[in-house]
Amino acid sequence: MTEVTLEELAEPYLRGVLATAGLDVEYVRGEGDRLYYRRGDEEVPVLDFVGGYGSTMLGHSNPELVAYAQELLAGHTPIHAQFSRHPYANEVAARLNRIIQRETGSDEPYFAIFANSGAEAIEAAMKHAELERYTRIEGLRAEIGANLEAAKAAAAAGTVTTRGVDAVVADVVAHNEALIAQTPLFLAPVGSFHGKLAGSTQLTYNPVYRAVFSALAAQARFVPVDEPGAVDDIVRSESRELHDVVVEGDRIEVVRRPFPRFCAVVLEPILGEGGIHELPETFVRDVRRVATELDIPVVVDEIQSGMGRTGAFLASSHLGLRGDYYAMAKSLGGGIAKAAVMLVRASRYQTSFEMMHSSTFAKDSFSCLIAGKVLEMLEADDGGVYRAAQSRGTELRSALRGLQEEFPEVLKDVRGRGLMVGLEFFEQGDATSETLRELHGSGFFGYFLSGYLLREHGIRTFPTSSAVYTLRFEPSAYIGAPDIARLTEALRELCRQIRDTDGRRLAPI
Ligand code: PMP
């Protein structure tokens, strides 16, 4: 029998991987932009630029939120009261609507479906889009069915000369039913990340997360973001047609009609896990146009980019993009609750969906009340948090650009908006140093940089999950200038290690 120790039962392989890069630290306390681990009797602070991968826009253990949470729990707020009125959920939806109206200039309301995680909000969007598509298909099926009956009636009455009408009808039905039985297609940018559940992982570009599970769910066609017209080419080559019949004079003709094969466009305004790339405006215009032509929804995934991180509540508002659906999570829960929501604009909303998607844990009072409080805090002082994210982000990016000028052979690019910032390193596959080549070969290069920054500088940052040469910085809106200076100094020293040494210190001892 294999001997196991109790601490090795929770994802032990992952823990091993973290240990390889020196990242298997246990944090015992979090406050603001600091996480603390224990060394002997003392607590060691770590300056945190991971920010819960974007969920701690208001910092760890935000005191106002913690006090509110304590008050809610002490007051025995009824957390699990499913199938009753939920005014707190309504309050969240109303606040989000006011914000969306302000930022997009539209006054059409959005209805809210609550969820527990970002991936679930995306799956709710996928399901809702499929419900829209299904409804259209049912309409088409009924119309075509009526036309087939009319053709059969015309044949029976002898008013048409076409022979073998029953066989024609059978062919049309067989063709259409085979098409309808196929899973639909989604469109998403190359580099997308939308979660790792069975459906959403198919919208996630990285094949490591997606390929094994492709038989489980509908597929996406990934559109390159920097090739104008690419989305049109994909749509053209993937389009399919239904067959229908018309009675023309004394003949029955088989005609073709567009089949709604596509379900939705799903996109992040700034690709997060794909390396912090803001979508080009030409791409956004192209997919918006194509979605309108196909009459499918554009699902804007603001799970990582939203809640003020980019200097506006919605990163998509910088792109002039209005979503038909929105998905939000992460910082919506203020770093203490698991809150997620999917919004659908009124003109596309299917009321029957409310009976088709729910969860024991979603829409509970605790997470909704916390989300409501988060929205109140974000909106306070005429958007003070948004302004802070914008100005801190500008400071951070200009410090990183300064570094890039100092180390043009090490640093490839500085990208992002507000406090969603990426710093891309040049690949080291051809480095003269054997260690650097080995770190490259591991496929975890950025994680070794993270381990080094943690060990040597007490700074926590990670690469984006699908682009491991890009370190990502998503601190809270309260990050201070001295913290940015500390990060810059640590990165300067890291760049020297890469440029001037054999890189051995980057690998843990
Ligand atoms: N969409 C985006 C843009 C994300 O960044 C993430 C998480 N990194 C998700 C969806 C999935 O969210 P969750 O981890 O809460 O399932």
Side-chain angles (χ1 to χ4, degrees), residues 136 185-188 221 223 227-239 262-267 282-298 321 324 348:
R136 279 170 69 193
L185 289 177
F186 288 85
L187 292 164
R221 292 290 177 264
V223 187
E227 288 175 27
V231 66
D232 296 276
D233 292 344
I234 292 174
V235 167
R236 209 172 300 119
S237 72
E238 298 287 5
S239 285
F262 291 93
C263 209
V265 175
V266 186
L267 55 81
T282 48
F283 175 84
V284 172
R285 257 202 313 276
D286 267 8
V287 292
R288 179 77 262 182
R289 173 181 50 75
V290 164
T292 306
E293 283 163 14
L294 296 172
D295 192 16
I296 57 173
V298 173
L321 171 66
D324 297 306
R348 303 202 81 104

Side-chain angles (χ1 to χ4, degrees), residues 105-316:
S106 149
D107 57 5
E108 184 180 347
Y110 285 77
F111 292 101
I113 300 287
F114 285 80
N116 300 284
S117 68
E120 192 201 333
I122 292 292
E123 302 235 344
M126 295 173 77
K127 284 172 63 185
H128 191 283
E130 177 61 357
L131 175 56
E132 279 197 53
R133 195 184 76 100
Y134 178 87
T135 308
R136 279 170 69 193
I137 290 175
E138 286 298 285
L140 286 164
R141 202 189 236 142
E143 257 178 59
I144 294 171
N147 292 342
L148 294 173
E149 287 310 314
K152 282 200 280 189
T159 55
V160 288
T161 55
T162 310
R163 295 185 177 281
V165 170
D166 284 345
V168 171
V169 167
D171 280 354
V172 166
V173 170
H175 170 87
N176 289 352
E177 290 308 317
L179 206 51
I180 290 168
Q182 286 177 15
T183 51
L185 289 177
F186 288 85
L187 292 164
V190 166
S192 294
F193 186 99
H194 296 292
K196 291 183 181 169
L197 294 182
S200 49
T201 204
Q202 292 309 318
L203 309 184
T204 291
Y205 181 66
N206 189 339
V208 173
Y209 307 141
R210 167 171 53 87
V212 169
F213 306 107
S214 64
L216 285 180
Q219 302 294 291
R221 292 290 177 264
F222 293 100
V223 187
V225 298
D226 45 10
E227 288 175 27
V231 66
D232 296 276
D233 292 344
I234 292 174
V235 167
R236 209 172 300 119
S237 72
E238 298 287 5
S239 285
R240 300 288 182 269
E241 289 172 320
L242 289 166
H243 291 178
D244 195 356
V245 291
V246 285
V247 180
E248 287 217 325
D250 65 351
R251 293 196 52 78
I252 289 169
E253 302 283 351
V254 174
V255 293
R256 290 159 190 275
R257 307 179 59 164
F259 171 64
R261 187 170 192 217
F262 291 93
C263 209
V265 175
V266 186
L267 55 81
E268 301 155 84
I270 302 178
L271 300 172
E273 304 303 332
I276 316 290
H277 293 276
E278 189 164 42
L279 292 181
E281 278 182 24
T282 48
F283 175 84
V284 172
R285 257 202 313 276
D286 267 8
V287 292
R288 179 77 262 182
R289 173 181 50 75
V290 164
T292 306
E293 283 163 14
L294 296 172
D295 192 16
I296 57 173
V298 173
V299 181
V300 178
D301 179 344
E302 292 274 7
I303 288 166
Q304 188 167 155
S305 58
M307 280 61 71
R309 178 160 295 288
T310 64
F313 185 86
L314 301 166
S316 48

Side-chain angles (χ1 to χ4, degrees), residues 469-485:
Y469 269 93
T470 298
L471 289 184
R472 162 225 333 240
F473 307 100
E474 293 186 0
S476 84
Y478 309 122
I479 191 79
D483 293 338
I484 292 176

